[in-house]
Amino acid sequence: MIIVNGSDLQGSARDASGPGWSSLRMLVKTDGVGFSMNETIVKAGVTLTLEYKNHLKGCYCVSGSGRVTDHATGSVSEIKAGVLYALDQHDHHSLIVDEGQDMFLISVFNPALQGDEVHGADGSYSA
């Protein structure tokens, strides 16, 4: 069994951040479970344009609100507490967080992240 307290990860290599976001990597590749799980905050008013070329990702919104835009189709979906979106086709997308409240997400990556990744110039993590 693995027990992880997020407060123990703060300031460690598993406390990753970039412009407008921060992420505690709760489960990582070395945990050996085949996926990683993150607790992520995206700041209010931020737009992230991402394309996970090497990972599949599911995001569950715990709080906050915004929109996710699929660049291939142009479709826009509302994201709010209780909504999950999955990037099952390595989707090129933008996450736009509404003003007024940060967005709190729980995300799962397959394959698992190492834990210290930040987005490259193309919006992806390395393999």
Side-chain angles (χ1 to χ4, degrees), residues 43-85:
K43 294 292 184 188
V46 165
T47 297
L48 299 176
T49 299
L50 308 165
E51 184 177 11
Y52 296 105
K53 298 175 182 180
N54 303 302
H55 299 86
L56 301 177
K57 180 182 182 186
C59 278
Y60 178 78
C61 182
V62 176
S63 64
S65 62
R67 296 161 307 290
V68 65
T69 300
D70 182 332
H71 289 250
T73 66
S75 71
V76 177
S77 300
E78 295 297 318
I79 305 298
K80 62 182 180 179
V83 173
L84 175 134
Y85 66 95

Side-chain angles (χ1 to χ4, degrees), residues 32 40 44-45 70 89 106 118 125 127:
T40 301
D70 182 332
Q89 302 294 316
I106 300 295
V118 294
Y125 294 143

